[in-house]
Amino acid sequence: MRITVTVNGAERSAEVEPRLLLVHFLREELGLTGTHVGCDTSGCGACTVLLDGVPIKSCTYLAVQADGRDVETVEGLLNGAALDPIQEAFKQEHGLQCGFCTLGMMLTAKALLASNPKPSDEEVRWALSGNVCRCTGYMNIVRAVQAAAAAQSGSQP
């Protein structure tokens, strides 16, 4: 089956098996390896991408379901050589350790901040609850999201 998906702002077309998962389409067909395969059951969030601006777990979503839609991966956060405010905040606030969960955390944070530019810590924790980090203990991740919110609004965290 032929699908056309806009990925990180660029239209991409490919012939795919109807059962191909979106995560494998992104990684294997398009070479966007920032999207990780973690648990294959949508429990960890390492495969999170934005589909039409909404975080989804790409390990349980078929590529054919994304036909005609917009997908953003972690690679889409980079603006030329400049880091996105979310990436910069994760770097500055030490919101990552091994980095495996980071892309899902950042994309989920992007969606949260698009709908709620000044979330409380509790709202950040709730938004990120579908993403598992085995390294950081979440405190720095919450601080990173709050720092990104402040940077985007031009205020102090």
Side-chain angles (χ1 to χ4, degrees):
M1 175 175 196
R2 187 147 194 88
I3 64 169
T4 301
V5 182
T6 301
V7 181
N8 301 327
E11 194 172 277
R12 306 290 296 269
S13 294
E15 195 70 33
V16 299
E17 289 278 329
R19 65 180 182 217
L20 181 69
L21 293 172
L22 182 56
V23 67
H24 296 303
F25 173 71
L26 295 169
R27 290 180 61 81
E28 297 160 17
E29 298 291 326
L30 302 184
L32 298 171
T33 57
T35 303
H36 295 155
V37 179
C39 64
D40 287 328
T41 61
S42 76
C44 75
C47 67
T48 300
V49 298
L50 300 182
L51 183 70
D52 297 331
V54 177
I56 64 152
K57 310 291 177 64
S58 64
C59 74
T60 56
Y61 200 89
L62 297 172
V64 296
Q65 291 175 283
D67 187 30
R69 301 180 76 184
D70 291 318
V71 175
E72 184 173 359
T73 68
V74 70
E75 290 91 347
L77 289 177
L78 201 59
N79 184 12
L83 294 178
D84 183 270
I86 294 169
Q87 292 172 305
E88 186 63 39
F90 268 74
K91 177 182 168 189
Q92 294 301 318
E93 298 296 327
H94 308 286
L96 60 108
Q97 197 162 2
C98 81
F100 197 78
C101 71
T102 306
L103 64 107
M105 296 285 187
M106 288 192 295
L107 289 169
T108 302
K110 180 176 181 169
L112 169 66
L113 297 179
S115 65
N116 182 357
K118 294 184 178 185
S120 67
D121 284 357
E122 185 176 326
E123 289 168 323
V124 171
R125 290 178 194 283
W126 176 252
L128 297 176
S129 65
N131 299 74
V132 176
C133 177
R134 293 172 177 93
C135 302
T136 68
Y138 300 97
M139 290 173 46
N140 290 349
I141 294 171
V142 173
R143 275 197 284 267
V145 175
Q146 292 294 15
Q152 290 178 350
S153 71
S155 64
Q156 294 293 324

